[in-house]
């Protein structure tokens, strides 16, 4: 049976991917800092605390996941966040570090521990949740955009480095998705977060999970390099049609 690991499965896109992989009949290992939420996502999944900014936490999580469910077939690198909307000249640097440590270094630290066994077994699929923000920059989003843009060369290099090993690498770059993302970005300010999705029709987390399902269900000789998925009502990060839902 296929073993799927999902990072950041306690909410939003990660939780939707976990549910979608469960519907495919796969065994699941789910990680997040708020691990108390995980059993409600998929009741028979292996659930364990995970903080991708902590190397000991990653090691404990992966060791326990492999002990419970065996070698990892699919890794969905989803854990991530945007923190704040700061212009570079006004920033303190704290949020920059949090975003880079989570979105870039966290993803790399998980991936480098999972890849060798995939290469050895000549089998595996890395899925990376990127963003439209990695393609199009917007003001006050410099470091979030940079953290997502960094995922493109990382995915490309891994594809080159693993060539011949049957390992597949797919990035999925969504536009606006209604999740807890904006609540986290605005540090719990519900009114400000709600404004992001006001009078428009964003993607749902399930829409993004559908893209992941498409990529992982292609035959083994087919690698979907990238899926860029946007709401019909969004043409670019700062260009959203707000004509009502
Ligand atoms: P949510 O805030 O709903 O979910 C984020 C998930 O990431 C949570 O499960 C959270 O778990 C987890 N996470 C954050 N930091 C860590 C950490 N240090 N260690 C482990 N898990 C962590 O937002 P989304 O579902 O929207 O975000 C998921 C991914 O999708 C992110 O990478 C985001 O950048 C990307 N994305 C989101 C878009 C959007 O508009 N919503 C658009 C494009 C991309 P916990 O806090 O419990 O640790
Ligand atoms: C999240 C999408 O446009 O808010 O990655 O940066 S955006």
């Amino acid at each position: 049976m296929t073993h799927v690991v999902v990072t950041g499965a306690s909410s939003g896109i990660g939780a939707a991917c976990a549910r979608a992989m469960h519907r495919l009949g796969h065994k699941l290992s789910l990680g997040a800092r708020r691990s108390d939420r995980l059993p409600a996502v998929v009741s028979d999944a292996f659930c364990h605390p995970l903080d991708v900014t902590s190397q000991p936490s990653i090691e404990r999580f992966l060791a326990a996941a492999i002990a419970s469910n065996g070698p990892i077939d699919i890794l969905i690198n989803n854990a991530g966040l945007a923190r704040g909307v700061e212009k570079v000249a006004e920033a303190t640097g704290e949020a920059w570090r949090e975003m880079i440590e989570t979105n870039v270094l966290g993803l790399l630290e998980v991936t480098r521990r999972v890849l060798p066994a995939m290469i050895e077994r000549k089998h595996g699929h890395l899925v990376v949740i990127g963003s439209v923000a990695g393609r199009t920059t917007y003001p006050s989003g410099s470091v979030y955009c940079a953290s997502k843009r960094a995922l493109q060369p990382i995915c490309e290099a891994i594809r080159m480095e693993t060539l011949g090993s049957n390992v597949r690498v797919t990035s999925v770059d969504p536009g606006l998705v209604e999740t807890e993302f904006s609540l986290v970005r605005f540090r719990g300010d519900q009114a400000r977060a709600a404004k992001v999705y006001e009078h428009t029709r964003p993607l749902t987390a399930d829409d993004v999970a559908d893209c992941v399902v498409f990529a992982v269900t292609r035959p083994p000789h087919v690698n979907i390099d990238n899926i860029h998925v946007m709401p019909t009502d969004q043409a670019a990060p700062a260009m959203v049609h707000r004509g009502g839902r």
Side-chain angles (χ1 to χ4, degrees), residues 47 69 98 113 120 138 147 152 188 220 226 229 236:
C47 301
N69 283 335
E98 188 181 12
R113 289 172 170 85
E120 171 83 24
Y138 51 87
S147 76
Q152 293 174 22
N226 176 260
V229 55

Side-chain angles (χ1 to χ4, degrees), residues 202-220:
L203 297 172
T204 66
D206 288 332
D207 295 326
V208 182
D210 282 347
C211 297
V212 175
V213 168
F214 177 76
V216 303
T217 53
R218 294 313 86 205

Side-chain angles (χ1 to χ4, degrees), residues 62-203:
L62 290 175
I66 291 165
S68 174
N69 283 335
I72 298 165
D73 302 294
I74 300 174
L75 168 62
I76 303 181
N77 271 311
N78 162 79
L81 81 171
R83 189 70 87 186
V85 276
E86 295 174 319
K87 293 180 183 160
V88 170
E90 295 164 359
T92 64
E94 198 183 320
W96 294 348
R97 270 180 276 281
E98 188 181 12
M99 288 186 275
I100 297 286
E101 281 170 11
T102 307
N103 302 354
V104 184
L105 293 173
L107 177 141
L108 282 167
E109 293 293 353
V110 175
T111 302
R112 78 175 173 90
R113 289 172 170 85
V114 172
L115 258 183
M118 289 184 169
I119 295 167
E120 171 83 24
R121 294 170 66 221
K122 290 198 171 290
H123 166 80
H125 199 152
L126 294 182
V127 178
V128 167
I129 306 298
S131 171
V132 63
R135 295 165 170 253
T136 309
T137 306
Y138 51 87
S140 303
S142 58
V143 172
Y144 178 67
C145 294
S147 76
K148 290 298 181 178
R149 187 163 301 189
L151 304 182
Q152 293 174 22
I154 290 168
C155 288
E156 285 168 20
I158 294 173
R159 244 177 247 123
M160 293 170 187
E161 290 162 7
T162 59
L163 188 65
S165 69
N166 295 325
V167 170
R168 299 192 285 177
V169 183
T170 299
S171 56
V172 178
D173 292 340
L176 212 57
V177 190
E178 191 163 7
T179 62
E180 294 179 18
F181 179 85
S182 296
L183 200 59
V184 171
R185 170 169 251 176
F186 298 125
R187 300 178 188 278
D189 183 336
Q190 298 205 347
R192 201 169 173 197
K195 277 235 166 279
V196 174
Y197 312 108
E198 200 171 65
H199 306 311
T200 190
R201 191 165 178 194
L203 297 172

